[in-house]
Amino acid sequence: MSDKTRGGQFLVKETKCEDIFTPEDFSEEQLMMRDSVKEFVDKEIWPNKNRFEKKDYAFTEESMRKAGELGLLGVAVPEEYGGLGMGFVSTMLVCDYISGATGSFSTAFGAHTGIGTMPITLYGTEEQKKKYVPKLASGEWFGAYCLTEPGAGSDANSGKTKAVLSEDGTHYKITGQKMWISNAGFCSVFIVFARIGDDKNITGFIVENTADNGISMNEEEHKLGIRASSTRQVFFNDTKVPVENMLSERGNGFKIAMNALNVGRIKLAAACLDAQRRVTSGAVKYANERIQFNTAISQFGAIRSKLAEMATNCYAGESASYRAAKDIEDRIIAREAEGSTHQEAELKGVEEYAIECSILKVAVSEDVQNCADEGIQIFGGMGFSEDTPMESAWRDARIARIYEGTNEINRMLSVGMLIKKAMKGHVDLLGPAMKVSEELMGIPSFDTPDFSELFAEEKGIVANLKKVFLMVAGSAVQKYGPDLDAHQQLLMAASDILIEIYMAESTILRTEKLAKKEGEAKVQEQIAMAKLYLYKAVDIVNSKGKEGIISFAEGDEQRMMLMGLKRFTKYTNNPNVVALRETITSKLVAENEYCY
């Protein structure tokens, strides 16, 4: 595994386009799976959007059972427990295409296949897996995940729910309140986190939702979006749980919760992709049909700009999400080859790329919200109406920035985890940061670079953006040391730089790989999207870099760092952004849909 880029190393290692996986690399089997999922969604989910919007919870459950009959609930479950045993990329692909029609079904699917099933698959004993996982994989049973409490949200380990061992030692009695529990209204089994005694960390339990066992619920929550996703408060009152239903070891619940969230974060990014494709396609179709001033509004520059940005962000999200998914899959395969069990390999594989999972969760959840917002704008007054799909897409998108850890938490986590990896020696940040400091003290080169190869300048700019992060984060760590956690606004600025680097680089590498395969002439639109995304990323890095530097540096140090920032965010040849957008939108309008 030593030759593989580890999590977070994208920042300090050059990645070649041949070394990343892209959506153009899907196998025939994966493409068949994608098409079967799309067929299911287009037949069963999309035509019934109004039923989801009218809070038809029974229809959500019915749709989930149909997905189970097709095997779609067991894609990530090993074959020995009734699943399809697919690799990580394939599970991402299914999550992507099954989630775009409505957030209600997407949430039910994600909660069940992810946090409702996965903790048992990855942490359960053999007996627990044999008993529960086949029923969850088939859709005979549904799962839910009880972590959040009124006083324990982002601070997940502060939960007050108690588990008390019975006098005869045969079972625990769980008492407490959980809230925002997805699938609660129709679930058969809960993953419940509770504290035993005065333990520092919470413990996980598998709790069957049986009658007369001290389990009660409030009515369904009425929410801004994901309206037909069952969401209830759940109360446990001396609920009996056999001791053999403890999940993993006592006090291991916080670790289970965090690792489940790592997987949930990258899967959430995938779950936001097809929503963007559908919104963009809907906006293009409407713009082509809507006539104003005797002209289709798709011909107006203000609309064309929006369509180009929507498509570009979706393309970037695809590029980064599947790059990370394949890195995780390769890590899992390598660990299995070294003798790890599938459970251990998957846990460690995802944990290795937890930084990328947080990056993707933030970037793609914000892109889908912006996409839906622009979709409404393109529809104008009609976009505000429930008769068009845009307003429900906008409402459904809003939750993505909150669950699986808020975007603020994930921003701070991404930088915090990177620094911890550096301290453990897993990512060498110190050496490259010192080189950047030396470069700042030196005289810049005035040679004219050779930009004859595709993306030569763009890749040089990405390398310079990495220097910005190392300059800002390195100086901040030097100044604040272990107290850096207290400077949240600085961490947020550094995180935005980190996010833009990963997203821009992934987009460029995907497009470079595609151009080498198809020829530059055939992928002019993708080249334009890669360049447009980078141009916008440079602006964000410049702004956030300045904000960070001014917040902690003074005098000569500040002046030198600001000069460095200007040097590292400079284009030799500024791209014609309007021309790039025109290239992208012309094909969208001609194809009448998102076509990348």
Side-chain angles (χ1 to χ4, degrees):
M1 286 191 292
S2 58
D3 59 333
K4 291 292 296 180
T5 299
R6 300 192 64 170
Q9 282 187 335
F10 71 88
L11 189 66
V12 292
K13 284 181 71 174
E14 182 183 357
T15 304
K16 295 179 180 176
C17 69
E18 294 82 7
D19 295 335
I20 72 159
F21 182 88
T22 75
E24 289 74 33
D25 296 324
F26 290 139
S27 66
E28 284 298 318
E29 181 186 22
Q30 287 169 329
L31 291 173
M32 287 172 62
M33 175 58 76
R34 179 197 67 185
D35 291 344
S36 67
V37 172
K38 286 174 68 176
E39 183 181 355
F40 167 73
V41 172
D42 288 337
K43 181 182 176 183
E44 302 289 346
I45 308 299
W46 186 258
N48 293 298
K49 274 182 71 74
N50 63 319
R51 294 185 67 176
F52 291 105
E53 293 313 305
K54 290 177 180 175
K55 304 181 183 180
D56 191 339
Y57 303 106
F59 185 66
T60 300
E61 182 180 355
E62 179 188 327
S63 301
M64 285 286 287
R65 294 206 185 278
K66 288 180 180 177
E69 290 166 7
L70 292 172
L72 299 177
L73 301 183
V75 289
V77 172
E79 292 180 65
E80 58 263 41
Y81 307 115
L84 299 179
M86 290 187 165
F88 200 84
V89 172
S90 295
T91 66
M92 282 278 286
L93 183 63
V94 171
C95 186
D96 174 350
Y97 282 90
I98 208 166
S99 301
T102 168
S104 296
F105 182 79
S106 173
T107 299
F109 177 86
H112 171 77
T113 58
I115 53 181
T117 302
M118 188 176 54
I120 305 176
T121 307
L122 297 183
Y123 286 96
T125 63
E126 191 62 24
E127 292 73 20
Q128 289 169 346
K129 286 186 285 188
K130 285 179 177 176
K131 181 177 180 180
Y132 294 108
V133 176
K135 291 180 179 180
L136 293 167
S138 67
E140 179 185 347
W141 280 17
F142 294 116
Y145 181 83
C146 296
L147 177 64
T148 303
E149 300 182 13
S154 297
D155 185 8
N157 203 36
S158 65
K160 304 289 189 238
T161 298
K162 290 289 184 182
V164 179
L165 186 63
S166 63
E167 289 184 9
D168 61 5
T170 61
H171 61 270
Y172 284 92
K173 289 185 178 180
I174 294 181
T175 300
Q177 175 185 358
K178 300 291 183 177
M179 64 190 304
W180 309 122
I181 308 306
S182 296
N183 295 350
F186 59 83
C187 80
S188 312
V189 62
F190 296 103
I191 306 297
V192 181
F193 295 91
R195 193 177 311 279
I196 301 172
D198 295 323
D199 286 1
K200 178 183 177 184
N201 292 322
I202 52 180
T203 297
F205 296 90
I206 303 168
V207 182
E208 293 184 26
N209 186 13
T210 53
D212 303 321
N213 191 21
I215 300 174
S216 60
M217 301 182 199
N218 274 6
E219 292 298 310
E220 293 285 356
E221 299 284 353
H222 298 290
K223 308 180 294 291
L224 171 71
I226 57 171
R227 286 179 169 176
S229 160
S230 175
T231 311
R232 293 186 171 190
Q233 290 190 53
V234 182
F235 301 89
F236 300 95
N237 184 17
D238 283 342
T239 300
K240 293 181 179 180
V241 185
V243 291
E244 58 266 26
N245 275 30
M246 180 185 288
L247 193 56
S248 186
E249 301 166 1
R250 177 172 174 170
N252 213 27
F254 185 64
K255 188 174 182 181
I256 296 171
M258 292 304 100
N259 281 327
L261 287 173
N262 286 334
V263 181
R265 283 161 185 160
I266 189 170
K267 292 286 180 73
L268 177 60
C272 292
L273 293 174
D274 198 49
Q276 289 182 74
R277 295 188 199 102
R278 287 177 181 267
V279 167
T280 303
S281 292
V284 172
K285 286 181 174 69
Y286 183 81
N288 277 336
E289 294 167 3
R290 175 67 167 165
I291 306 298
Q292 291 289 277
F293 309 104
N294 297 318
T295 306
I297 65 170
S298 61
Q299 300 307 309
F300 297 144
I303 300 297
R304 294 173 75 84
S305 172
K306 293 180 186 299
L307 293 173
E309 300 283 353
M310 292 159 74
T312 296
N313 288 337
C314 183
Y315 180 77
E318 293 171 348
S319 306
S321 295
Y322 286 104
R323 173 189 182 181
K326 188 60 162 66
D327 283 341
I328 290 171
E329 180 170 298
D330 288 346
R331 193 81 178 175
I332 292 168
I333 292 169
R335 282 194 169 274
E336 286 180 326
E338 292 176 352
S340 295
T341 65
H342 175 75
Q343 290 169 279
E344 294 167 340
E346 186 153 337
L347 280 168
K348 292 296 182 183
V350 176
E351 189 178 359
E352 177 64 45
Y353 293 95
I355 294 165
E356 287 81 352
C357 291
S358 282
I359 286 171
L360 287 164
K361 192 274 182 184
V362 173
V364 186
S365 68
E366 293 183 359
D367 284 341
V368 73
Q369 183 82 67
N370 292 335
C371 182
D373 196 70
E374 292 289 42
I376 288 178
Q377 199 69 14
I378 290 168
F379 270 66
M382 284 300 297
F384 206 68
S385 168
E386 288 186 0
D387 292 335
T388 64
M390 292 298 158
E391 70 90 33
S392 63
W394 184 87
R395 287 187 289 97
D396 283 351
R398 187 60 186 86
I399 188 61
R401 287 155 55 196
I402 297 172
Y403 56 20
E404 308 295 355
T406 67
N407 282 14
E408 290 72 25
I409 287 288
N410 274 286
R411 276 185 161 90
M412 291 183 284
L413 270 176
S414 62
V415 178
M417 289 187 291
L418 182 62
I419 292 169
K420 285 178 183 175
K421 267 183 170 268
M423 291 176 175
K424 291 178 180 177
H426 295 172
V427 180
D428 177 19
L429 293 184
L430 182 60
M434 289 178 67
K435 286 182 181 177
V436 173
S437 296
E438 291 168 9
E439 188 175 343
L440 286 175
M441 301 293 289
I443 300 171
S445 171
F446 295 102
D447 295 340
T448 303
D450 178 11
F451 293 143
S452 56
E453 285 192 18
L454 176 65
F455 293 134
E457 178 170 14
E458 286 75 16
K459 287 197 279 188
I461 289 171
V462 170
N464 280 340
L465 298 186
K466 294 178 182 182
K467 292 176 184 176
V468 173
F469 180 85
L470 291 166
M471 175 178 71
V472 174
S475 298
V477 169
Q478 231 176 2
K479 184 177 181 69
Y480 296 118
D483 295 330
L484 182 60
D485 282 354
H487 299 270
Q488 291 190 352
Q489 293 185 56
L490 175 56
L491 284 172
M492 298 271 282
S495 174
D496 281 338
I497 298 169
L498 189 66
I499 289 166
E500 293 306 322
I501 290 166
Y502 189 72
M503 301 300 289
E505 182 180 67
S506 300
T507 309
I508 289 167
L509 292 173
R510 173 189 180 181
T511 309
E512 183 186 12
K513 187 175 184 179
L514 184 60
K516 286 183 177 181
K517 179 183 176 184
E518 301 288 343
E520 290 182 34
K522 290 186 178 180
V523 294
Q524 285 302 303
E525 295 83 12
Q526 288 90 335
I527 290 170
M529 286 191 286
K531 290 184 175 183
L532 178 61
Y533 191 92
L534 178 63
Y535 181 85
K536 304 278 284 188
V538 169
D539 273 354
I540 293 169
V541 171
N542 198 3
S543 171
K544 295 297 180 178
K546 183 177 180 182
E547 180 184 320
I549 291 166
I550 291 173
S551 74
F552 69 85
E554 297 176 341
D556 290 341
E557 181 191 18
Q558 184 188 99
R559 281 190 290 274
M560 185 169 292
M561 290 177 72
L562 290 173
M563 284 173 61
L565 177 65
K566 187 176 180 181
R567 186 197 306 181
F568 295 144
T569 55
K570 181 183 177 183
Y571 272 92
T572 301
N573 301 303
N574 281 298
N576 183 335
V577 178
V578 172
L580 293 177
R581 293 194 189 111
E582 279 298 305
T583 298
I584 299 161
T585 308
S586 293
K587 185 165 185 179
L588 286 171
V589 168
E591 297 287 336
N592 204 31
E593 64 179 356
Y594 178 83
C595 50
Y596 302 115

